[in-house]
Amino acid sequence: MNRRASGASALAIACALAGAAGAGEFDGVTIEAKLIGGQQYEALYARIPEWEAMTGAKVEIISKKNHFELDKEFKSDIAAGTTGWCVGSNHSSFASQYPSLYTDLTALIPAETVAEFVPANISAATLEGKLVMLPRAQFDVSALYYQKDLYEDADRAAAFESEYGYPLAVPETWQQVSDQAKFFADGPNFYGTQYAGKDEAIVGRFYEMIVADGGKLFNDDFSPAFDSDAGREALQWFVDLYEAGAVPAGTTNYLWDDLGNGFASGTIALNLDWPGWAGFFNDPSASKVAGNVGVAPAPKGSAGVRTGWSGFHGFSVTEDCADKEAAASLVDFLTGEDSQKLESAAGPLPSRTAVWDYVSEQAKGDDYRSEVLAAFKETAATAFAVPPTPLWIEATNLIYPELQAAILGDKTVDEALSDASDAVDELMQEEGVY
């Protein structure tokens, strides 16, 4: 039985389709869901009434927060034994922490449906033999958004070349990003760049900068490896931009929504960010930089390696859900082909093979969408996931305060890395990792 809308998204058509697809199968069922919130995710949730009309069930969203807050809430639910809600937003960076929370979807989602997803995504969504989530059209890897007119002024270009000794052009390296960010900055009204400065967000950026500079975050046994030359080079990049006033003073408190809204405000020259913001940035009703947005592949570090920390969003069903079939039906619907086409239209990258083909075809004749897709495809080609340890988030919670301390000048780079390394080493030993 097809539980997904198979065509137009109008509610009346969805209802008609439901008549042929088993309308009312879940009459009287209410599915409680805990979902990630944010501008780039809301369009998909607007489709939920279609699923309700098709199945007779109701969805009650009982929590809507960013993944960092959801992570805390999920852990609290596990500790309290209050995991009877049914559908949760999940992420490849967080999923390994919840081995008992989510059920195996293998028996609930047809094998032919699972086969329609990009195999690498399904592989990453399968932990210890359990398919713990279905990926949505939110494959995350970051590319560089920039304001195009900054590169079109001859006087500005001449001034930059005079100061830095090379022509002003869209940056291809992180050293060039640093140079240009300092050159463009004119605080407090305009800044060269910005970065998410707390939680897993800054550790992920630090991680990918270390890789780009030829190092690694962890050794093969998950002992810390970041107190190294590459680690010092990576952290110094963040410190230098902060000390130069090239980033907003509040950047150490920023998370993803702050970055997206900051670039859309027109006050940021260069912004490394996720594909989900692409449509928002070029929407004149929401963004002051609409029509002036360029997109380039993520720059490379000193080792000639492109940054490419990546992951993907998905939906999971809890083990304690009383109506797993209904919950799986909702997850199937929210990750189905029509849903992924909807989300991908705004810029996010799909996780279904057929939708990749669809997006490529739809981009023809649209210069901006073609540029977005090309930039993210090139960056995704060398992307890498977070280290595969269930202690990833716990480790980042130990690392990020030390990175902040260095950025704010409370510790030297060497002190911060040494203290973070000692803390992670202690964690890994306490947990019996080595």
Side-chain angles (χ1 to χ4, degrees), residues 168-226:
L168 178 63
V170 177
E172 297 180 355
T173 70
W174 284 111
Q175 182 58 55
Q176 292 171 359
V177 170
S178 181
D179 292 344
Q180 293 181 25
K182 294 170 186 175
F183 176 78
F184 290 137
D186 187 19
N189 298 314
F190 194 81
Y191 294 95
T193 190
Q194 57 184 347
Y195 47 79
K198 66 178 184 178
D199 294 337
E200 184 221 22
I202 188 171
V203 181
R205 290 289 185 234
F206 173 62
Y207 162 51
E208 65 180 351
M209 292 291 281
I210 288 177
V211 173
D213 291 336
K216 53 188 176 180
L217 195 70
F218 295 133
N219 294 308
D220 291 344
D221 63 354
F222 293 109
S223 59
F226 53 82

Side-chain angles (χ1 to χ4, degrees), residues 19 50 66 74 84 96 107 146 180 187 202 216 228 270 272 289 314-315 333 366-367 394 402 433:
E50 296 180 35
N66 66 48
F74 294 162
S96 63
Y146 61 93
Q180 293 181 25
I202 188 171
K216 53 188 176 180
S228 63
L270 299 158
L272 185 71
V289 294
F315 296 103
F333 177 83
D366 185 325
D367 291 343
E394 289 187 55
E402 301 299 336
V433 175

Side-chain angles (χ1 to χ4, degrees), residues 91-290:
H91 193 283
S92 56
S93 295
F94 290 78
S96 63
Q97 299 179 101
Y98 319 122
S100 64
L101 178 59
Y102 293 125
T103 197
D104 185 357
L105 295 173
T106 303
L108 298 167
I109 302 295
E112 57 268 27
T113 296
V114 176
E116 294 170 356
F117 289 84
V118 175
N121 290 142
I122 291 299
S123 177
T126 304
L127 302 176
E128 298 182 356
K130 293 171 55 179
L131 179 61
V132 298
M133 64 173 160
L134 281 190
R136 66 189 287 183
Q138 291 285 347
F139 173 62
D140 280 344
V141 64
S142 296
L144 190 69
Y145 297 92
Y146 61 93
Q147 294 198 40
K148 292 191 294 186
D149 61 3
L150 294 172
Y151 298 90
E152 298 169 354
D153 183 291
D155 291 339
R156 181 185 288 117
F160 178 86
E161 186 165 5
S162 174
E163 182 173 352
Y164 288 94
Y166 64 90
L168 178 63
V170 177
E172 297 180 355
T173 70
W174 284 111
Q175 182 58 55
Q176 292 171 359
V177 170
S178 181
D179 292 344
Q180 293 181 25
K182 294 170 186 175
F183 176 78
F184 290 137
D186 187 19
N189 298 314
F190 194 81
Y191 294 95
T193 190
Q194 57 184 347
Y195 47 79
K198 66 178 184 178
D199 294 337
E200 184 221 22
I202 188 171
V203 181
R205 290 289 185 234
F206 173 62
Y207 162 51
E208 65 180 351
M209 292 291 281
I210 288 177
V211 173
D213 291 336
K216 53 188 176 180
L217 195 70
F218 295 133
N219 294 308
D220 291 344
D221 63 354
F222 293 109
S223 59
F226 53 82
D227 188 4
S228 63
D229 289 344
R232 281 182 280 279
E233 182 180 0
L235 181 52
Q236 193 66 51
W237 185 89
F238 294 93
V239 172
D240 287 348
L241 287 170
Y242 190 86
E243 289 181 345
V247 297
T251 199
T252 50
N253 290 314
Y254 284 6
L255 289 174
W256 307 125
D257 283 357
D258 303 296
L259 300 188
N261 290 322
F263 185 71
S265 74
T267 62
I268 304 293
L270 299 158
N271 181 49
L272 185 71
D273 221 325
W274 310 107
W277 288 102
F280 182 78
F281 289 155
N282 212 38
D283 178 357
S285 69
S287 171
K288 292 183 179 179
V289 294

Side-chain angles (χ1 to χ4, degrees), residues 5-11 13-14 17 47 50 338:
S6 55
S9 61
L11 185 58
I13 295 176
L17 288 171
R47 293 201 71 206
E50 296 180 35
D338 288 343

